[in-house]
Amino acid sequence: MKVFFTIIIIAGMSITSIYANNELKKDDTEKNKPSFYQVRAKGYQQNHWFASIGVGPSLYFGDHDKQIGVGKRISYVINASGGKWIDDVFAVRVNARFGQMKGLTQYGGTNGLSTGVLYRAQDDLWYQKFNYFTAHADFMFDFTNDAYGYDPDRAYHLIPYAGLGFISATNKQGGTSFSPNLGVLQTYKLNDGFAISLDITGSFFRDKVDGEVGGRNFDGLLNATVGVVYNIYTGRR
């Protein structure tokens, strides 16, 4: 009987010791477990720079463009950008675009960036076409990560942004103006390095850019580009 109780006591002490060691290991694991912020920070240390390029249609809103159909005002735009994610929600980027504007002007001949082709004689309206260059600094907000939490495996992101820059007609009759812009970038992850993107941007600028000062203080531009985003890794995965 004494031997039996001795065995029970020894067994109990062993079980207690094993349980205590497991609890200590569990506590140590919990204490050493990285926080949510540390996990996401590590991810953005590895993947916080990006570059993109895209192409798509451009639609100009000038002084007389309501008198011509939208289809005759659509042209092209090419954009390129590079930036950095500050954390999982906010980013900054620099975006440059080169494109073409098409519309109407009352400055005929070679004035007002006219093509020299008459559109409607009774209104003295001429076709207008000219190239432009624009550059913006944008502040970006990842709505998807903010609303649903950071997930490194998430495929789709909705990213509104706002920016400020300038726009300039490349033809000598045109002008240069400051140009605020608002837009929405949508990306779909293909793999760790690449994503496809749809970037829609609206901007406005002073009337003088097209070489004709009309009845409005500002003209507008709407761009939509489809492109590729390349994520530049700066650390080990």
Side-chain angles (χ1 to χ4, degrees), residues 40 44 104 119 200 232:
R40 77 182 186 190
Y44 277 87
L104 295 176
Y119 172 71
I200 301 174
I232 304 169

Side-chain angles (χ1 to χ4, degrees), residues 4-235:
F4 176 77
F5 281 114
T6 301
I7 294 174
I8 294 295
I9 292 171
I10 292 173
M13 293 175 64
S14 299
I15 293 172
T16 301
S17 177
I18 294 172
Y19 178 78
N21 287 333
N22 287 338
E23 286 298 308
L24 287 173
K25 289 180 181 179
K26 183 178 179 181
D27 288 342
D28 290 340
T29 300
E30 291 296 326
K31 289 179 181 178
N32 295 327
K33 184 177 179 181
S35 68
F36 171 78
Y37 176 80
Q38 290 171 328
V39 170
R40 77 182 186 190
K42 181 180 179 182
Y44 277 87
Q45 287 172 0
Q46 295 171 339
N47 182 17
H48 59 241
W49 290 94
F50 63 91
S52 67
I53 188 168
V55 63
S58 178
L59 180 61
Y60 174 51
F61 298 88
D63 290 317
H64 309 287
D65 291 343
K66 65 182 180 181
Q67 295 164 288
I68 189 174
V70 171
K72 293 183 178 181
R73 288 157 45 205
I74 294 177
S75 190
Y76 71 91
V77 63
I78 301 169
N79 75 346
S81 66
K84 176 183 179 180
W85 283 100
I86 301 169
D87 58 20
D88 57 313
V89 175
F90 298 108
V92 291
R93 76 172 182 182
V94 175
N95 187 287
R97 297 184 180 90
F98 176 80
Q100 187 182 80
M101 298 190 202
K102 295 168 64 175
L104 295 176
T105 179
Q106 287 186 324
Y107 289 10
T110 58
N111 296 318
L113 304 177
S114 166
T115 63
V117 178
L118 190 63
Y119 172 71
R120 186 183 298 160
Q122 63 269 32
D123 296 321
D124 192 26
L125 290 173
W126 302 72
Y127 285 104
Q128 182 184 61
K129 182 170 65 175
F130 61 96
N131 296 325
Y132 70 91
F133 173 81
T134 180
H136 289 89
D138 297 327
F139 184 74
M140 310 175 73
F141 171 74
D142 192 320
F143 171 81
T144 311
N145 277 353
D146 185 65
Y148 301 104
Y150 172 65
D151 181 358
D153 297 320
R154 178 175 291 117
Y156 173 78
H157 292 265
L158 179 67
I159 308 169
Y161 61 86
L164 183 65
F166 73 92
I167 185 169
S168 181
T170 59
N171 308 59
K172 64 180 181 180
Q173 295 91 351
T176 300
S177 169
F178 76 93
S179 178
N181 68 298
L182 292 171
V184 176
L185 173 67
Q186 298 178 73
T187 64
Y188 188 86
K189 179 180 177 180
L190 300 177
N191 53 45
D192 287 341
F194 291 93
I196 56 175
S197 65
L198 173 62
D199 194 349
I200 301 174
T201 305
S203 59
F204 66 93
F205 40 88
R206 296 298 298 272
D207 198 15
K208 63 182 180 179
V209 172
D210 67 352
E212 177 183 2
V213 179
R216 300 189 304 183
N217 291 327
F218 296 96
D219 292 341
L221 189 64
L222 181 64
N223 295 323
T225 58
V226 176
V228 177
V229 180
Y230 174 57
N231 295 306
I232 304 169
Y233 292 93
T234 59

